[in-house]
Amino acid sequence: MGTHRVSRSIVIDAPAERIFDIIATPSRHSEFDGSGTVQHAVSGPDRLEQGSEFGMDMRMFGVPYRMTNRVVEFEPNRLIAWRHIGPHRWRYELEESAGGGTRVTETFDYSFRFPAYYVLAGMPARNAAGIEQSLLRLKDVAEKAATD
């Protein structure tokens, strides 16, 4: 974990291309979201690319809201990150694992502005727990896709 970043990794027994396809498809985000906030995609492309904007119906603490995100980092089958109106980013990095499969690292990066606010609001710890669950769910979705 770097300064003002929360990262967790998992090795998934699936090729990077399959995993990236899941992450780059907004309509699938609720399948692997471990925070419980992502409900479903409401706007945007079927598949994300650099600069894509996509809207999501969300729910936090029982309150529904809608969020528009923009892809700000993109390397096919390797890296994707998006942000919304806030300066923080959600980033997924994929790399071949030495033991086989793909190592996926999800990062909540709040280093861009106002890091003290994020700490005071308890976001690093809450997002670390959500990331851990998201990665486990992503593993299940990607590995199940091989058997379908």
Side-chain angles (χ1 to χ4, degrees), residues 56-120:
M56 303 297 287
D57 273 346
M58 310 284 289
R59 180 177 297 273
M60 185 180 291
F61 307 119
V63 179
Y65 62 100
R66 185 166 285 170
M67 190 61 62
T68 299
N69 303 282
R70 183 172 50 89
V71 176
V72 294
E73 298 175 53
F74 188 86
E75 293 178 43
N77 302 325
R78 188 185 147 350
L79 170 71
I80 188 168
W82 55 79
R83 64 176 288 249
H84 52 69
I85 194 167
H88 60 274
R89 296 176 182 208
W90 292 99
R91 180 181 298 114
Y92 291 85
E93 297 171 88
L94 291 76
E95 61 183 330
E96 287 185 36
S97 175
T102 304
R103 175 173 292 282
V104 179
T105 301
E106 181 179 353
T107 302
F108 169 65
D109 184 346
Y110 60 104
S111 66
F112 295 94
R113 277 182 268 155
F114 316 118
Y117 162 76
Y118 293 96
V119 172
L120 288 172

